[in-house]
Amino acid sequence: MSISVGLNCPACGGAIQISEGENVLNCNYCGSLLWAEGDAGVMTVAFRNAQGRDSVLRATEEWWRKGFKARDLRTKGKLLECYPIYLPFWSTTTRVAGWICGYEERHHTDRNGNTRTERIPKEEMVLHDYRYTNIACDPGDLGVKFLRNVSGEASFADFESIPTFESTTSKDDMVEMSKQNALSDARSDANVPHITFEKVTAIPKQISQIFYPVWVVRYSYGERMYMATVDGVTGKVLSGRAPGDALYQSLAMTGGTSVSGLIAAGSIAFGIGSGEGTIAIIGLVVGAAVLGFTYRFFRHGSEIIEGDFDDKRSSDLGKELRKGLKFNVGGFRI
Amino acid sequence: MASMKCTKCGAPVEFDTGDKFVKCSYCSSQIFIDRSGAGFYYALPFSVQENDAVGIFRRWAGGSTRAKDLDKLAQISSLKKQYFPVYMFKRDVNGMEQVYVEPAASTTLPGLHSLKVPGGDLKVFDDKFSTNGAEMIKIDIEMAPYLSNLPGAPKEQALVYFPIWKLDYVFEQKNYVVVISASSGEVFSAEFPPRSSAAYIAVAGIGFLAFLAEGILALFSPLLAVGLIAVTIAGVFVASNFVARRM
């Protein structure tokens, strides 16, 4: 069995030219309109690598100085190697169209303490394009799962010289995931708290594959080996691991226990004094949140992890993931 | 680079791993590569070298959930450079493309039976591919049983050699093993000596209660409370600094 198939126009026999992602074309010779069936693939774009070794190393050194990383990283950190790779990403545009109806409830309390509930009917038309990106292979320990930037000079010029990670995940899974995300984002954007009726459809408009240049930097700190990745288009640090500092950990804990303890004490005292129980509870919750957040940093701050890593234990993880996943381009809302 | 014969003129045409269409450089006819009936051999190159693998292990061992000073106290007893074989299947299931990855060798090593899709610069694995002295793990699971159990119609199937460093270490007379992906530097481990959170929780809990008590005391005797708070701040700082460094 042969794995290669020659492509001829069925009408005139002339050789046809087709590129990945297309399925409708005209024959160059006889002008027949042709439909190519089968595994058409997806449209592929590669961004030109705009960074060099020096700028990447400089960005990494600058990154060392930011945040709560070890104070002696500047002097003890040794840059060992740095190389660019092309990472594959799926990029989709999904249009959501339809209507979401429901109501919003507002509570009003008058001077006599009577509460009145007002129901405001809402009827929202949804028509918006959502764009998502997601890495198309297992990122391993690179800490990059979404594209932060989708503009750059498209060029395949560096494609031969830079190692390319193949895309190995299913594009149809990505289309399906985008549909689900677009529907739930459209629902939250419509801002109807109580939905009584909805008719919304997600229409996949486009999927493409983007090869994005990313620099991998490895550096050592003592006997340990750390890494960081730098965006090959914008030159910003995308993700990385770095040693933390016990001083920052203990400062965080000192600040955390004192602030949360005093907030809790203050709210309890105020609550007892004024007979207002809710304020005491709110104060205790705020105190507990401060304590929890600072404890996390105290316990796990010996390694600073930035980017989309699974073992990241900082509390803003959810926010960061969502930020990376959703940014809307174009589209409009009426 | 693999090559095949042009379907029109018979000239050799080279193509790379991800290509779906190639152009013959002699007669410039377009050729479609249909991978549904063939099996491909791919390999990922080693981008993490021996010293890097040890350094990555030490970084991992220094992590906050690993036993204190594991990075300094762990004795590395062996470090092996290996290629682990996995099957990658692309299937057309009801018009949807699905990707499945299955191990091609039986193993008890951590991370390898639940490998997702290995990321990396896939190269065609043929006699021109240099393994650079890596040990090839023998394939002992055939592709055929997987094929008959997978849903849908085949689109592509390949055997992918996944580069790993297998590192054995000893800590307090116990043996442990980690697998380091030589493609991305990811560390897989099943069991490792853990670090207790007790000292951390104790500092946080005692500190919080002390400040809470002093805050309430401030209502009755502000001066005394301020003095005590100052002492507690110093105490918590010293204690947490000690715990962060030593425990």
Side-chain angles (χ1 to χ4, degrees), chain A residues 191-211:
Chain A
N191 199 15
V192 180
H194 301 274
I195 297 174
T196 50
F197 168 82
E198 66 164 34
K199 180 98 185 152
V200 280
T201 318
I203 310 151
K205 277 183 73 182
Q206 176 256 357
I207 178 159
S208 55
Q209 186 178 205
I210 298 176
F211 282 102

Side-chain angles (χ1 to χ4, degrees), chain B residues 73-88:
Chain B
L73 299 176
Q75 299 282 328
I76 298 173
S77 49
S78 88
L79 180 63
K80 283 193 191 116
K81 188 180 185 181
Q82 294 177 330
Y83 263 119
F84 186 82
V86 291
Y87 293 120
M88 181 172 80

Side-chain angles (χ1 to χ4, degrees), chain A residues 153-170:
Chain A
E153 192 189 328
S155 153
F156 279 97
D158 305 321
F159 218 60
E160 288 300 307
S161 55
I162 296 178
T164 309
F165 276 38
E166 302 300 335
S167 67
T168 45
T169 59
S170 155

Side-chain angles (χ1 to χ4, degrees), chain B residues 181-201:
Chain B
S181 151
S183 183
S184 76
E186 189 168 7
V187 179
F188 302 100
S189 72
E191 198 199 351
F192 55 80
R195 185 188 303 191
S196 160
S197 295
Y200 290 85
I201 293 174

